[in-house]
Amino acid sequence: MNETVRVTAEQIRRLQFQGARNVAIAAIKALQALAEATKAQTRKDFIAELCDARALLFASRETEPLMRNAVRWIITQVEDSDERKVVELAHLVTVSSENFQKNLAASKERIAEIGAKRIWNGSTILTHCHSSTATHVLWKAKDEGKTFNVICTETRPAFQGRISAKEMISLGVKTTFIVDSAARSFMHDADMVIVGADAITSEGNVVNKIGTAAIALLAHEARKPFYVVSELLKFDPATLYGEYEKIEERSRDEIWKEAPAELTVRNPAFDVTPRDLIHGIICEEGIVSPQSVAEVIHRVYPWVFDS
Amino acid sequence: MNETVRVTAEQIRRLQFQGARNVAIAAIKALQALAEATKAQTRKDFIAELCDARALLFASRETEPLMRNAVRWIITQVEDSDERKVVELAHLVTVSSENFQKNLAASKERIAEIGAKRIWNGSTILTHCHSSTATHVLWKAKDEGKTFNVICTETRPAFQGRISAKEMISLGVKTTFIVDSAARSFMHDADMVIVGADAITSEGNVVNKIGTAAIALLAHEARKPFYVVSELLKFDPATLYGEYEKIEERSRDEIWKEAPAELTVRNPAFDVTPRDLIHGIICEEGIVSPQSVAEVIHRVYPWVFDS
Amino acid sequence: MNETVRVTAEQIRRLQFQGARNVAIAAIKALQALAEATKAQTRKDFIAELCDARALLFASRETEPLMRNAVRWIITQVEDSDERKVVELAHLVTVSSENFQKNLAASKERIAEIGAKRIWNGSTILTHCHSSTATHVLWKAKDEGKTFNVICTETRPAFQGRISAKEMISLGVKTTFIVDSAARSFMHDADMVIVGADAITSEGNVVNKIGTAAIALLAHEARKPFYVVSELLKFDPATLYGEYEKIEERSRDEIWKEAPAELTVRNPAFDVTPRDLIHGIICEEGIVSPQSVAEVIHRVYPWVFDS
Amino acid sequence: MNETVRVTAEQIRRLQFQGARNVAIAAIKALQALAEATKAQTRKDFIAELCDARALLFASRETEPLMRNAVRWIITQVEDSDERKVVELAHLVTVSSENFQKNLAASKERIAEIGAKRIWNGSTILTHCHSSTATHVLWKAKDEGKTFNVICTETRPAFQGRISAKEMISLGVKTTFIVDSAARSFMHDADMVIVGADAITSEGNVVNKIGTAAIALLAHEARKPFYVVSELLKFDPATLYGEYEKIEERSRDEIWKEAPAELTVRNPAFDVTPRDLIHGIICEEGIVSPQSVAEVIHRVYPWVFDS
Amino acid sequence: MNETVRVTAEQIRRLQFQGARNVAIAAIKALQALAEATKAQTRKDFIAELCDARALLFASRETEPLMRNAVRWIITQVEDSDERKVVELAHLVTVSSENFQKNLAASKERIAEIGAKRIWNGSTILTHCHSSTATHVLWKAKDEGKTFNVICTETRPAFQGRISAKEMISLGVKTTFIVDSAARSFMHDADMVIVGADAITSEGNVVNKIGTAAIALLAHEARKPFYVVSELLKFDPATLYGEYEKIEERSRDEIWKEAPAELTVRNPAFDVTPRDLIHGIICEEGIVSPQSVAEVIHRVYPWVFDS
Amino acid sequence: MNETVRVTAEQIRRLQFQGARNVAIAAIKALQALAEATKAQTRKDFIAELCDARALLFASRETEPLMRNAVRWIITQVEDSDERKVVELAHLVTVSSENFQKNLAASKERIAEIGAKRIWNGSTILTHCHSSTATHVLWKAKDEGKTFNVICTETRPAFQGRISAKEMISLGVKTTFIVDSAARSFMHDADMVIVGADAITSEGNVVNKIGTAAIALLAHEARKPFYVVSELLKFDPATLYGEYEKIEERSRDEIWKEAPAELTVRNPAFDVTPRDLIHGIICEEGIVSPQSVAEVIHRVYPWVFDS
């Protein structure tokens, strides 16, 4: 096995990359490293190497649909090519990897453009946790000269809301910071909710940081639109075929280090927001209904369903 | 002004008593001290002293309906009496104070008896924050030999859920501990929710620790009964006459000590749970509908409405 | 123990009386028989006899709030009287028993008068199971010359809907008969739902034949008023003090005689309709909100809460 | 029949008095006139005269619960008195009439005091139609120095919203005026809804100007509190006993004078707002839950149920 | 700039065309006139002329998705053609314009055929405002011999409901006419709601005459299906890319000519009906779910997304 | 007309085939028989024969979308072929028929694989009626070694729930059997609901055994996922074009043989479950949102819309 792939898989396992996007980029770069270093003599051997790398990377963490889709796409490019020379196929991996990363960057930019149009002068946006895609939307709106307020939940247990709050403050956005439990009290002050996503399921539900689903319910109760901003490739095709999106459970120490030993401390990292609470998914294809998202992906990225 | 009253009012202002019950008892004892030390020569002067004390105690903290009702009741006893001798009226204060405390203790016991009947073997109860009345219900059920599980939310920012969890562990109850945001994920595992109350309004809504209202909504979404356990005297008659129950706002440092200075940190201590999300209020009169609670108080404690 | 009381308790246990009203009347008559045959020499002994009878009758069946309230009321009359002669107390039992029965009959008549006013010419009423109080309302409306239609569900497993349907046909009412599962399909054709009650809880929920709660939800979904007709004395004070209304589970043979032995057949006789799905309880005091029903009983029958 | 009574009944029939309050006052004054002019020689004859007047006044218009309760109360005073002299009984009518009017005025004042406390600086109140009780609340809030905005619906067909808007403008309140259909679009800008009432039913529902119920639903959808301000004596005891509150149907010309003859034009003056959409009824007894309103009246005005 | 284009744009600005369909046809005809009169010598110049015309027409009114899609489609035909001769390209504009109009007419016919099948004998349809597409459906049902009733709201401020009512009367349909506020009272009598559309957003929401969204909520409350009839080309692709559908605000005089000057009169012409309240969109492709409508357009009119 | 086709159509009319799948297979085999026995000399004549057969088969029963889609597909194959020789076209019918049946079998298998993944160890699945597709999912889960419980409703009037219960018992699954009306009481014990389908409409609603829609509402009330398992070809394209899915009404004797003659007994076989109550449709394409199902069919089986 290629050493970079092995090390990268290990690093992913140890959570050394933050955010779905960075995990995906690390895996892509590992495939590139493999392609550059390959000693395979035949197309068949090269594809076998790639498949081994895929297996290792997929096994590194239960759920990372964006990374899986990235790996899947690059290998599909090779498999679909008629090329027989390994050097050309390796080059194809490089090109595909770069293309994928460009596509990711373009998607983020496109989402920011689209999402920023939803923010009007004087509006207040509530957000939960930290999503670089979501804060990029807010950056874009600010950059366009819009004035708005943001409410950040602190997002226990890891306090990622503090990262969001600091980013907003550094943009010069008037920002309010609350505990997660106060979301209902402050929903009256919000005009909309914007959150990111870790995964999208085939039914149109969204997996995101624990607490997101409750905030969606509170937004619905108060007739405030709840937007998810997400690259379409966060879609997990495994859910189409019946798998539940796995919900990672993290260390009890994140919640309470000195907890009595007899106490069961549960620390799921994510929850599932039902599609009916989501006003729209803001993705690189525009603002789409969550109910149609699987069909959107069939239209735009049909290869996602290939393996 | 009587020194004990003055000091007590100051201590209440500085939050040196924990919980509505302890605040009420401190105020009662201050009235007792005043009665014992009074130098008033006439009924009129004595009542004037009591009224001054009342004004000071009421001013000590925006909202403490139980304390206010206690003070109100004791002074009403004096005002309603035909007695003219100050020594007898002072004695009446002492007796009334003791009666009030006995009534409080009896209510807590009665609520525990009633509430414990709702807990069945093998059931799971989700609770939020720490309420001595609520945990007394659970203690009672355990004491009666019932086996059940408890899910405690940590209850940011002050982590009172840890107190509840430790109490449950010490009772030998199997207990699960989660962040507040995880309440929706674990609502599936709960058979009911039991929380305490800080105040009850005339419309039948319940003021309790921030986050309670969202949990009530989540319980409703999942068709799980949501019970409030509370002495009836947490009812605030001021709400009947139009006042909003004041929501105390506490220090930003409780939430984030190193928060950027430009950040607005908001820390309301309570929120308001709408009556339609409450299955029943478990009080000393039994399990009553929240919609009828003001009429129950008219029947049981009509003097609450006197001043 | 008085023989009639013993036999009656046994007959109640064996379900030889149909309907809450008939069970109550049988118990009342047993107390009358006891009073007529008593050999007690002192008030104290006579009351002891009555209390023994009460214990036996209450033990005969888990839940019969109307019967329990009847027995409770008659014995309260004796206990509250200052009379010391047994013969007079026995007479008091007889008089009280007759009064209670008269009150029951008057309540039924009053409910019919009130309920019939809600039925307009050309309306369609959906009903579930068979309740003599409910069909008496329909009889009254017909008797007043109103023309209306009725939809009866068959009410598995015991098909009591057939009794209702036959009664309606015999009144000359145009009647439609459906399986229980078809209630949602026919809710569009109904203008209101009227059902009886087996018990009313302190929170204002109503215990009635299995299937009632689902029909209430369907009526709510279609914005059709759902009425419960019931004597107030179906209220069960035990629920006020925390007890769950017991839900009788009947024989599996009622559902499927030849069911495979390994199959668990569950046959609860009743379910609990939440108060928020009930438009009004039509009782002898008028049409009252379910949320206020416990306070109505405190006003009209305060002795219900005495024991 | 007394001429004033006869004329007044005729004027009520012809809608020559505007608003439930003015109709009630006219009827009261007619009874006073009857009492002053009576030629009855005996208590019995005087009461018979009063009862005839009642019959005539009640027949003048289908639904006027406040007027009916007023007449009912005055006659009850006479019937309950032991006095036998007609001159004294006539005096009693005068005194009772004045008392009733004083009570009405005091209720309106009390409601304004209570309601005004719910209005905070900077808040926006949406109102429908014109209710002198509702605008008195707003006047009171303004009089107390509060700054707030009002949104008035025009209230077709009779455009009473224009009266409300003019009153608000004359108070110096910043006011927005919209068509009835735009209520949902502007609900986002409102912090609460305040409307009056024409009648209150025993189940706790409120009869008010057509369109009120839809606005209540829209407020509920947007989690905005919906208040009804009303004297308790708008309660209609006939609804307790099964009668539907009659919904007056007014002339088609109010809607469309040149409507084609074949067109059925329907013009119901009122609709019924379900209790579950009402946050609270602001009445002279305070802010009460609609579910408990019949019990509140039993406590405060028990004579309402007498006839 | 071509004179017809200039004049047409001006006429559109001045609202001299009634209804989205007529605005679209006027713009199409302006392009035809431009093509017939063009003096362009090169393909490039001709396309530039078309683009200038597009800019002018698009600027004429904030929102007219059907007109914009029409213009977009015709210009796309030219741009996609390989033809270089201006005369041929001009002819292509003519042909495309005619085709577009034929397609519009065919869509209307197709919608009528499909929609009419939903109407059954004896049913009652509630409609709001006037939509020629909606009344064409009703005409078709009548033409097929069906008997049904219609309820028309008057539709303030411009009373377009009167146009609908007159059309229905002239068809011989039994029609009821009500104020907008009475929709909830008459929803019980309706079997379904049918309305038109001004625009459809990418999330599947529908922009239509002010008041539509509230009626949709009322239909939902009463479990009555709410249909939107609309050509798919009312879809506004700008919403996909984040733009809010602009809501035109019209003159205050339409509402109240003599309104006090200090009064803010707001007159938005449209509101947005959320997709979850819409049973189905009846379009030329059949009855589709609103959630899928953007994908339907991707399938049928992919060029809509091109510019 | 071919004799087998004639007989088969008659048998379908007489309900001699059980289940949509078997009806479809019978019709397919009839077409095969026609193809084998055809005496047609020309392509045109052969197609005419097929069209006659189609007309007869379609007329045999109001609603059988699967059968209709099967016939439609086979004939489309012939029509789309360029082949002119009848013997080859007849062979094409045979091949297509076999392919269709294979596809049906594969779909069932695929659905079982996907659906079984949703069932976890220790879960409880509530099901209604008997669907071979649904029980195949449960068989698959059991076959994979999962341990779970099943709750079966008896499914009046024909008691198909007994078939489901027996199948489950024979698989060794712990099974509970209840009357239909008890579904709400046992929903608390269920983790999900799985039912089959008779037809799927273009809006995404599902036609299934009477009672299904109410169970979906109960699942929604209790936040339990409600899955429909169905081959996509149960989609009925006629609904796209406005037709209501016909709801077969069966004999009154199925419900009550000895019903009084004057009684109207209504026995609709199916009801319509609204899409918003359906968590997902588990089909051969995966788990899809009901809102997108028509677009899924456009993608996978576009020929369904051809005729």
Side-chain angles (χ1 to χ4, degrees), chain A residues 16-28:
Chain A
Q16 292 176 358
F17 303 103
Q18 272 290 80
R21 175 180 296 269
N22 289 332
V23 170
I25 290 171
I28 291 168

Side-chain angles (χ1 to χ4, degrees), chain C residues 128 154-157 159 161-163 165-166 169 174-186 189 210-214 217-218 221 249 255-260 262-268 270-274 277, chain F residues 128 154-157 159 161-163 165-166 169 174-186 189 210-214 217-218 221 249 255-260 262-268 270-274 277:
Chain C
H128 182 60
E154 62 173 10
T155 319
R156 283 280 296 160
F159 295 111
R162 295 182 179 180
I163 307 175
K166 283 177 177 170
I169 287 295
K174 192 163 173 311
T175 305
T176 298
F177 189 82
I178 57 174
V179 296
D180 303 314
S181 269
R184 190 173 183 274
S185 296
F186 288 85
D189 298 338
I210 190 81
T212 303
L217 188 68
L218 299 171
E221 184 200 18
E249 178 116 17
I255 293 183
W256 189 7
K257 278 211 181 107
E258 307 77 15
E262 311 91 302
L263 192 64
T264 305
V265 180
R266 295 290 308 274
N267 187 12
F270 310 114
D271 62 19
V272 184
T273 299
L277 303 177
Chain F
H128 182 61
E154 62 173 9
T155 319
R156 282 282 294 161
F159 296 112
R162 295 183 180 178
I163 307 175
K166 283 178 178 169
I169 287 293
K174 194 166 171 310
T175 305
T176 299
F177 190 81
I178 58 174
V179 297
D180 303 316
S181 268
R184 190 174 183 273
S185 296
F186 288 85
D189 298 337
I210 190 82
T212 302
L217 187 68
L218 299 171
E221 183 199 20
E249 179 117 16
I255 293 184
W256 190 6
K257 280 212 180 105
E258 307 77 15
E262 311 90 300
L263 193 63
T264 305
V265 180
R266 293 290 307 275
N267 188 12
F270 309 114
D271 61 19
V272 184
T273 299
L277 303 177

Side-chain angles (χ1 to χ4, degrees), chain F residues 5-51:
Chain F
V5 170
R6 210 192 45 72
V7 168
T8 301
E10 187 57 29
Q11 287 173 322
I12 293 174
R13 177 173 295 114
R14 293 184 181 167
L15 306 175
Q16 290 176 1
F17 302 103
Q18 272 291 78
R21 176 180 294 269
N22 288 332
V23 169
I25 290 172
I28 292 168
K29 290 191 168 159
L31 289 190
Q32 261 183 297
L34 179 153
E36 281 161 17
T38 188
K39 300 212 157 48
Q41 297 295 322
T42 64
R43 174 187 159 96
K44 194 179 161 199
D45 287 355
F46 182 59
I47 288 180
E49 271 192 319
L50 287 172
C51 290

Side-chain angles (χ1 to χ4, degrees), chain F residues 10-307:
Chain F
E10 187 57 29
Q11 287 173 322
I12 293 174
R13 177 173 295 114
R14 293 184 181 167
L15 306 175
Q16 290 176 1
F17 302 103
Q18 272 291 78
R21 176 180 294 269
N22 288 332
V23 169
I25 290 172
I28 292 168
K29 290 191 168 159
L31 289 190
Q32 261 183 297
L34 179 153
E36 281 161 17
T38 188
K39 300 212 157 48
Q41 297 295 322
T42 64
R43 174 187 159 96
K44 194 179 161 199
D45 287 355
F46 182 59
I47 288 180
E49 271 192 319
L50 287 172
C51 290
D52 287 353
R54 179 174 64 193
L56 198 65
L57 290 165
F58 279 22
S60 68
R61 204 168 174 198
E62 273 189 338
T63 307
E64 283 292 342
L66 185 60
M67 179 266 274
R68 284 165 190 254
N69 286 331
V71 169
R72 202 169 274 144
W73 188 73
I74 290 165
I75 297 180
T76 301
Q77 298 310 101
V78 173
E79 289 174 337
D80 287 1
S81 136
D82 293 330
E83 183 58 58
R84 309 221 46 93
K85 284 188 236 141
V86 169
V87 63
E88 291 300 326
L89 291 169
H91 182 64
L92 185 54
V93 167
T94 303
V95 170
S96 302
S97 298
E98 281 162 5
N99 285 346
F100 196 93
Q101 291 183 66
K102 273 184 212 153
N103 177 284
L104 261 191
S107 290
K108 189 174 177 179
E109 212 54 46
R110 188 84 183 99
I111 289 168
E113 273 169 37
I114 296 166
K117 289 188 191 146
R118 291 274 141 159
I119 295 170
W120 65 86
N121 265 321
S123 62
T124 296
I125 296 98
L126 189 147
T127 190
H128 182 61
C129 196
H130 177 260
S131 146
S132 66
T133 314
T135 55
H136 198 56
V137 169
L138 298 170
W139 169 84
K140 182 74 179 176
K142 187 72 188 174
D143 191 55
E144 289 171 351
K146 287 179 179 166
T147 304
F148 55 89
N149 304 318
V150 168
I151 301 172
C152 297
T153 57
E154 62 173 9
T155 319
R156 282 282 294 161
F159 296 112
Q160 292 96 328
R162 295 183 180 178
I163 307 175
S164 300
K166 283 178 178 169
E167 280 187 31
M168 289 303 107
I169 287 293
S170 75
L171 287 180
V173 171
K174 194 166 171 310
T175 305
T176 299
F177 190 81
I178 58 174
V179 297
D180 303 316
S181 268
R184 190 174 183 273
S185 296
F186 288 85
M187 195 57 80
H188 269 317
D189 298 337
D191 292 300
M192 75 189 75
V193 178
I194 298 180
V195 299
D198 284 275
I200 302 174
T201 76
S202 74
E203 302 99 326
N205 301 329
V206 167
V207 178
N208 194 42
K209 174 60 54 191
I210 190 82
T212 302
I215 289 175
L217 187 68
L218 299 171
H220 182 81
E221 183 199 20
R223 199 187 140 200
K224 303 293 168 81
F226 178 94
Y227 290 104
V228 171
V229 295
S230 173
E231 297 82 3
L232 283 173
L233 288 172
K234 297 253 180 89
F235 180 85
D236 185 352
T239 60
L240 186 67
Y241 306 128
E243 297 289 355
Y244 285 99
E245 192 61 32
K246 296 291 190 322
I247 302 293
E248 185 187 352
E249 179 117 16
R250 301 173 63 94
S251 156
R252 58 185 283 150
D253 287 359
E254 284 186 359
I255 293 184
W256 190 6
K257 280 212 180 105
E258 307 77 15
E262 311 90 300
L263 193 63
T264 305
V265 180
R266 293 290 307 275
N267 188 12
F270 309 114
D271 61 19
V272 184
T273 299
R275 63 178 178 239
D276 291 340
L277 303 177
I278 300 171
H279 187 87
I281 298 181
I282 304 179
C283 63
E284 62 267 38
E285 273 292 296
I287 307 184
V288 304
S289 76
Q291 290 86 356
S292 70
V293 74
E295 287 309 295
V296 174
I297 290 159
H298 265 291
R299 180 166 49 74
V300 185
Y301 303 114
W303 50 267
V304 161
F305 302 94
D306 278 358
S307 50

Side-chain angles (χ1 to χ4, degrees), chain A residues 87-189:
Chain A
V87 63
E88 292 299 326
L89 291 170
H91 183 62
L92 184 55
V93 165
T94 303
V95 171
S96 303
S97 297
E98 282 162 4
N99 285 345
F100 196 94
Q101 290 183 68
K102 274 183 211 152
N103 176 285
L104 261 190
S107 291
K108 190 173 177 179
E109 212 52 48
R110 188 84 184 100
I111 290 168
E113 274 169 36
I114 295 167
K117 290 188 192 147
R118 292 276 140 160
I119 294 170
W120 66 86
N121 265 321
S123 63
T124 296
I125 296 97
L126 190 148
T127 188
H128 181 60
C129 198
H130 177 260
S131 147
S132 65
T133 315
T135 55
H136 198 56
V137 169
L138 298 169
W139 169 86
K140 181 75 181 175
K142 188 73 188 172
D143 191 56
E144 290 171 351
K146 288 180 179 167
T147 304
F148 54 90
N149 305 319
V150 167
I151 302 172
C152 298
T153 57
E154 62 174 10
T155 320
R156 283 279 295 158
F159 296 110
Q160 293 98 328
R162 295 182 179 179
I163 308 174
S164 301
K166 284 177 178 169
E167 281 188 29
M168 290 304 107
I169 287 294
S170 75
L171 288 179
V173 171
K174 193 165 172 309
T175 305
T176 300
F177 189 80
I178 58 173
V179 296
D180 303 315
S181 269
R184 189 173 184 271
S185 296
F186 288 85
M187 195 56 79
H188 270 316
D189 298 337

Side-chain angles (χ1 to χ4, degrees), chain D residues 209-218 226 271-274 277, chain E residues 184 218:
Chain D
K209 174 61 55 192
I210 191 80
T212 303
I215 289 174
L217 188 68
L218 298 172
F226 178 95
D271 62 18
V272 185
T273 299
L277 303 177
Chain E
R184 190 173 182 272
L218 299 172

Side-chain angles (χ1 to χ4, degrees), chain A residues 71-288:
Chain A
V71 171
R72 204 170 273 144
W73 187 72
I74 291 165
I75 297 180
T76 301
Q77 298 310 99
V78 173
E79 288 173 339
D80 287 1
S81 133
D82 293 330
E83 182 59 57
R84 309 223 44 95
K85 282 186 238 143
V86 168
V87 63
E88 292 299 326
L89 291 170
H91 183 62
L92 184 55
V93 165
T94 303
V95 171
S96 303
S97 297
E98 282 162 4
N99 285 345
F100 196 94
Q101 290 183 68
K102 274 183 211 152
N103 176 285
L104 261 190
S107 291
K108 190 173 177 179
E109 212 52 48
R110 188 84 184 100
I111 290 168
E113 274 169 36
I114 295 167
K117 290 188 192 147
R118 292 276 140 160
I119 294 170
W120 66 86
N121 265 321
S123 63
T124 296
I125 296 97
L126 190 148
T127 188
H128 181 60
C129 198
H130 177 260
S131 147
S132 65
T133 315
T135 55
H136 198 56
V137 169
L138 298 169
W139 169 86
K140 181 75 181 175
K142 188 73 188 172
D143 191 56
E144 290 171 351
K146 288 180 179 167
T147 304
F148 54 90
N149 305 319
V150 167
I151 302 172
C152 298
T153 57
E154 62 174 10
T155 320
R156 283 279 295 158
F159 296 110
Q160 293 98 328
R162 295 182 179 179
I163 308 174
S164 301
K166 284 177 178 169
E167 281 188 29
M168 290 304 107
I169 287 294
S170 75
L171 288 179
V173 171
K174 193 165 172 309
T175 305
T176 300
F177 189 80
I178 58 173
V179 296
D180 303 315
S181 269
R184 189 173 184 271
S185 296
F186 288 85
M187 195 56 79
H188 270 316
D189 298 337
D191 292 299
M192 75 189 75
V193 178
I194 298 181
V195 299
D198 284 275
I200 303 174
T201 76
S202 74
E203 302 99 326
N205 301 328
V206 167
V207 178
N208 194 41
K209 174 60 55 191
I210 191 80
T212 303
I215 289 175
L217 188 68
L218 299 171
H220 182 81
E221 183 200 18
R223 199 188 138 199
K224 304 292 168 79
F226 178 95
Y227 291 105
V228 171
V229 296
S230 174
E231 298 82 3
L232 283 173
L233 288 172
K234 297 252 180 90
F235 180 86
D236 184 352
T239 61
L240 186 68
Y241 306 128
E243 296 290 354
Y244 285 99
E245 192 63 33
K246 295 293 190 319
I247 302 292
E248 185 186 352
E249 179 117 16
R250 300 172 64 93
S251 157
R252 59 184 285 150
D253 287 359
E254 285 186 357
I255 293 184
W256 190 7
K257 278 210 182 108
E258 307 76 16
E262 311 90 301
L263 193 63
T264 306
V265 180
R266 295 289 307 275
N267 187 12
F270 310 114
D271 61 19
V272 184
T273 299
R275 63 178 178 236
D276 292 340
L277 304 177
I278 300 170
H279 187 86
I281 297 180
I282 303 180
C283 62
E284 61 267 38
E285 274 292 297
I287 307 184
V288 303

